[in-house]
Amino acid sequence: MDKRLADLVGKLESDQGLLLAEYAELIDGRTPEVAELLAERARAVREPIYGRRVFTRGLIEISNVCKNDCLYCGIRCSNRNVKRYRLDPDTIVACARAGWEYGYRTIVLQGGEDKTYYADDVLCDVIARIVQTCPDTAVTVSMGERGRASFERMYDAGATRYLLRHETATREHYERLHPANMSFDHRMQCLYDLREIGYQVGAGMMVGSPFQTTMDLARDLAFIQSFRPDMCGIGPFIPHHDTPFAHEPAGTLELTLYLLSIIRLIHPRVLLPATTALGTIDPLGREKGMEAGANVVMPNLSPVDVRKQYELYDNKICTGDESAVCRGCLARRMAKVGYELVVDRGDVAR
Ligand code: SAH
């Protein structure tokens, strides 16, 4: 193996970070041997913190109504071919409780940006009801950008975590993925606000999104190094047929796994999901994600009749399975490669 790259891996592990140019060098110079070395080091640093325990988050896709028009996303507002839905509060709480019975101790409420229906009052009420109905369960919100006051109210209602991928840490790149009325600065500001309020915060980006360069990814890694999110969701970009990026190539399994290992070395305690998108581009994507350093999976808890309508990208997996089946299937898949799904809130290790 190239000595320079082996040295960079060593430096990354000991310093928990690299310079921008070094990240770029590590990405561009990658070979299967370097990937294996990174994965082996990622597993080694994860071992004393999380062992081979895998945390689960039950994901409820509460609405596909969205006011935004992100160019990559299948539920963007200008896609007229989506049948829109909103789950009512009773349905959301019932899904969460069912999830609790299956063993989930984190419930994620995700959806498009839909502040008309999910006004603060409605969302806060749902959060408080889940906290009451599901003992010792963390409520995570992933409903896009909102104002600081809204984040504060949800925190007071009992939500303790928020997932908001930064999508890309490069302003020019952000502007090519989003329409002009969306703001890079506002998205970043939300992340800092959430952190200040006291949330455990999740950031993250797509791998292989259109126009993404090596330097863009290097800046994503530098951002992760400085912001140190509690959770970092990364998955391959996958085109959706009804978006302007329909004919763009998908991100690769190989680069996603490589970046998962790097992120584990930057931030050993980070909660790192092997995402559904990773499981979509490769039948064993999530298992391979674990071997690269991930320690979280996020099975679907949404009612089966709406799952196909929450189509962010083409061919999303598990849209036909019952929630109980999803958990069982993942538990078996993880056991096969030597990992154990646990019944646990899965807080970030301190
Ligand atoms: N409205 C919320 C939730 C967005 S959906 C928000 O703004 O945060 C969750 C994530 O799915 C997004 O952050 C994005 O990174 C990812 N995503 C969207 N379209 C995708 C695609 N075509 N391929 C892969 N991931 C995609």
Side-chain angles (χ1 to χ4, degrees):
M1 181 184 323
D2 186 283
K3 165 135 187 353
R4 168 76 185 153
L5 289 171
D7 286 348
L8 283 177
V9 175
K11 181 180 176 201
L12 170 62
E13 182 178 351
S14 60
D15 296 1
Q16 300 187 356
L18 291 175
L19 302 171
L20 209 51
E22 292 171 332
Y23 281 129
E25 206 182 330
L26 190 57
I27 294 168
D28 278 340
R30 68 189 188 278
T31 62
E33 291 71 39
V34 183
E36 188 38 50
L37 173 63
L38 275 169
E40 184 260 311
R41 296 319 304 154
R43 291 192 295 271
V45 306
R46 186 190 57 197
E47 176 60 31
I49 308 171
Y50 297 112
R52 294 180 76 91
R53 291 158 44 96
V54 176
F55 297 139
T56 57
R57 279 76 168 96
L59 182 69
I60 309 178
E61 299 153 334
I62 70 173
S63 167
N64 68 356
V65 176
C66 192
K67 71 164 183 56
N68 289 335
D69 214 20
C70 307
L71 275 75
Y72 45 84
C73 184
I75 63 169
R76 64 201 301 265
C77 65
S78 64
N79 183 3
R80 303 273 163 233
N81 296 327
V82 183
K83 201 172 134 209
R84 304 284 169 173
Y85 74 90
R86 289 168 165 140
L87 300 185
D88 61 67
D90 288 347
T91 306
I92 299 171
V93 175
C95 279
R97 175 67 201 190
W100 189 88
E101 309 277 350
Y102 303 140
Y104 293 103
R105 294 296 177 267
T106 293
I107 297 296
V108 182
L109 305 180
Q110 191 179 82
E113 268 187 39
D114 184 16
K115 280 168 280 204
T116 323
Y117 183 83
Y118 299 100
D120 291 349
D121 289 335
V122 177
L123 218 43
C124 287
D125 195 53
V126 170
I127 293 164
R129 285 176 62 192
I130 295 176
V131 170
Q132 275 203 335
T133 323
C134 305
D136 194 34
T137 297
V139 179
T140 305
V141 182
S142 180
M143 298 287 291
E145 298 167 44
R146 300 171 81 101
R148 183 171 174 131
S150 172
F151 292 147
E152 280 167 349
R153 287 189 59 188
M154 289 191 275
Y155 190 78
D156 292 340
T160 53
R161 303 184 189 153
Y162 206 101
L163 304 183
L164 187 77
R165 290 185 176 181
H166 64 284
E167 310 296 2
T168 169
T170 306
R171 179 187 304 276
E172 295 70 36
H173 186 216
Y174 183 93
E175 289 170 356
R176 298 184 80 174
L177 299 179
H178 301 95
N181 68 349
M182 290 182 71
S183 152
F184 173 76
D185 290 325
H186 188 259
R187 198 158 183 96
M188 285 294 186
Q189 187 58 51
C190 286
L191 287 170
Y192 288 95
D193 285 345
L194 290 161
R195 157 78 47 86
E196 247 180 52
I197 292 166
Y199 283 97
Q200 289 183 35
V201 181
M205 70 279 185
M206 287 175 288
V207 177
S209 60
F211 316 115
Q212 186 177 62
T213 63
T214 298
M215 275 314 283
D216 293 335
L217 283 173
R219 278 184 286 266
D220 286 323
L221 296 172
F223 171 70
I224 291 162
Q225 181 183 327
S226 68
F227 185 71
R228 289 181 85 77
D230 301 290
M231 179 149 162
C232 191
I234 75 162
F237 158 77
I238 303 174
H240 183 286
H241 61 279
D242 275 328
T243 64
F245 293 158
H247 303 293
E248 298 290 332
T252 65
L253 173 79
E254 174 266 324
L255 183 53
T256 307
L257 296 175
Y258 196 79
L259 292 166
L260 282 171
S261 300
I262 293 177
I263 294 168
R264 172 64 63 203
L265 291 174
I266 293 174
H267 187 2
R269 295 170 188 282
V270 74
L271 295 162
L272 205 53
T275 57
T276 305
L278 193 58
T280 299
I281 53 163
D282 186 289
L284 293 176
R286 288 169 298 179
E287 289 87 334
K288 291 172 185 171
M290 293 300 141
E291 288 298 275
N295 69 326
V296 175
V297 288
M298 303 179 67
N300 203 317
L301 263 186
S302 310
V304 175
D305 59 317
V306 300
R307 286 196 191 179
K308 281 209 164 45
Q309 287 147 256
Y310 197 80
E311 198 192 35
L312 309 178
Y313 46 81
D314 288 342
N315 305 315
K316 193 172 145 215
I317 52 170
C318 309
T319 55
D321 300 342
E322 290 293 340
S323 305
V325 176
C326 274
R327 188 175 173 102
C329 160
L330 261 175
R332 264 193 313 281
R333 281 170 169 270
M334 291 298 140
K336 250 190 187 156
V337 283
Y339 292 84
E340 179 201 0
L341 279 200
V342 293
V343 177
D344 193 297
R345 287 167 54 96
D347 286 300
V348 70
R350 294 287 176 196

